[in-house]
Amino acid sequence: MRRTYIAGNWKMNKTATEGVELANELKAAVAGCNAKVLVAPPFTTIPAVKEVLAGSNILVGAQNMSDNESGAHTGEISPAMLKDLGVDVVILGHSERRAIYGENDAFINRKVKLALSYGFEVILCIGETLEERESGKAEAVCLTQLVGGLEGVAKEDMANIVIAYEPVWAIGTGKTATPEDADSIHAFIRKEVEKLFDKQAADDVIIQYGGSVKPDNVKDLMAKENIDGALVGGASLKSELFVPIVTFDK
Ligand code: 13P
């Protein structure tokens, strides 16, 4: 049985002061909810949010991580730095990292393996652009990103891998994939995980949907067999939007 997993990617929003305010609101409002819950604040906001959420049911993640352990990498954040803050999860391969900062599958794969070696749970993001979808390449693009991101990952490590399917055309646009379209790609991803590993890994892997998830569409998305959770951007920045998403089943 896969547990619903709702994650909030704050992207480059919320100073530490603002993050504390939001974390305090969430802490009280989602206590005792059924879903596994994560927030991923910007690096500099993590310590303050972590302090607020200590002892709560909300995990704290990072939005990125270096592919190196230490040294001359100006501006980067190492796995040990995140571990030291008590970070549990790292989001890797987000489409904004791919599109704006030129991250490719080989680079993301190095980070995935490094993060796993430090015991992080990894949310690996994959998804096609509108052009790719319209030219019938959605599955092929997702497959390339899935296989590239998971290259060399051991079957046992799949327990610490979450896949987030985020069609680029649905991110921040207000255009959500229909539950049917999203479920169809999720089913495809699950089948490919089975081919890469085995049936158990495929049955167990959590596949989140991301792209304009809101309180009014979360229920229909989560009702689909292969949609196990959500990676929420814009709507994770306000408790009045994120709380109803996390508690959609109440
Ligand atoms: P939005 O929910 O703002 O579309 O963002 C989705 C996303 O990119 C989460 O990682």
Side-chain angles (χ1 to χ4, degrees):
M1 201 42 199
R2 297 185 295 268
R3 185 176 175 204
T4 303
Y5 187 0
I6 308 286
N9 174 8
W10 293 2
K11 306 192 180 182
M12 198 172 72
N13 297 290
K14 303 288 179 192
T15 61
T17 309
E18 292 162 347
V20 162
E21 194 180 334
L22 176 56
N24 269 312
E25 292 167 10
L26 296 177
K27 184 179 176 173
V30 311
C33 71
N34 297 321
K36 176 173 169 180
V37 189
L38 170 82
V39 293
F43 293 128
T44 51
T45 299
I46 289 175
V49 166
K50 190 73 200 161
E51 197 177 323
V52 171
L53 296 180
S56 78
N57 60 333
I58 306 177
L59 297 167
V60 177
Q63 301 169 21
N64 190 16
M65 190 196 81
S66 175
D67 63 326
N68 283 282
E69 292 191 77
S70 67
H73 298 281
T74 302
E76 290 291 293
I77 301 289
S78 76
M81 291 168 188
L82 296 175
K83 269 275 138 172
D84 190 54
L85 294 182
V87 164
D88 307 293
V89 181
V90 289
I91 297 172
L92 296 174
H94 192 278
S95 67
E96 287 147 21
R97 301 297 319 167
R98 294 175 188 264
I100 308 171
Y101 301 100
E103 296 195 7
N104 63 24
D105 289 321
F107 183 62
I108 293 161
N109 176 247
R110 285 207 298 280
K111 298 186 189 202
V112 168
K113 288 189 286 199
L114 185 59
L116 290 172
S117 77
Y118 274 78
F120 290 108
E121 176 187 278
V122 171
I123 299 181
L124 173 65
C125 303
I126 63 175
E128 82 286 356
T129 62
L130 185 59
E131 196 188 351
E132 289 162 342
R133 170 156 285 257
E134 286 178 343
S135 56
K137 293 190 194 133
E139 288 188 353
V141 169
C142 288
L143 181 59
T144 300
Q145 293 178 355
L146 181 77
V147 172
L150 295 179
E151 167 101 47
V153 169
K155 191 174 80 181
E156 309 78 68
D157 281 330
M158 282 305 288
N160 283 321
I161 295 275
V162 171
I163 306 294
Y165 168 58
E166 298 206 306
V168 178
W169 48 271
I171 295 176
T173 58
K175 279 189 221 161
T176 324
T178 64
E180 291 70 28
D181 283 348
D183 191 55
S184 149
I185 295 281
H186 282 226
F188 171 77
I189 293 167
R190 200 175 300 287
K191 220 173 184 60
E192 293 302 324
V193 169
E194 181 172 347
K195 285 191 207 160
L196 286 171
F197 301 96
D198 61 12
K199 174 120 178 34
Q200 193 65 51
D203 285 345
D204 291 348
V205 70
I206 300 288
I207 308 176
Q208 297 173 326
Y209 167 79
S212 298
V213 175
K214 306 281 183 246
D216 63 0
N217 59 26
V218 63
K219 232 182 187 154
D220 289 344
L221 286 161
M222 293 310 126
K224 290 292 175 190
E225 186 185 342
N226 287 292
I227 303 181
D228 309 314
L231 182 53
V232 186
S236 73
L237 298 174
K238 290 186 175 158
S239 59
E240 61 270 32
L241 296 178
F242 194 56
V243 170
I245 292 175
V246 171
T247 57
F248 73 94
D249 59 344
K250 296 241 163 150

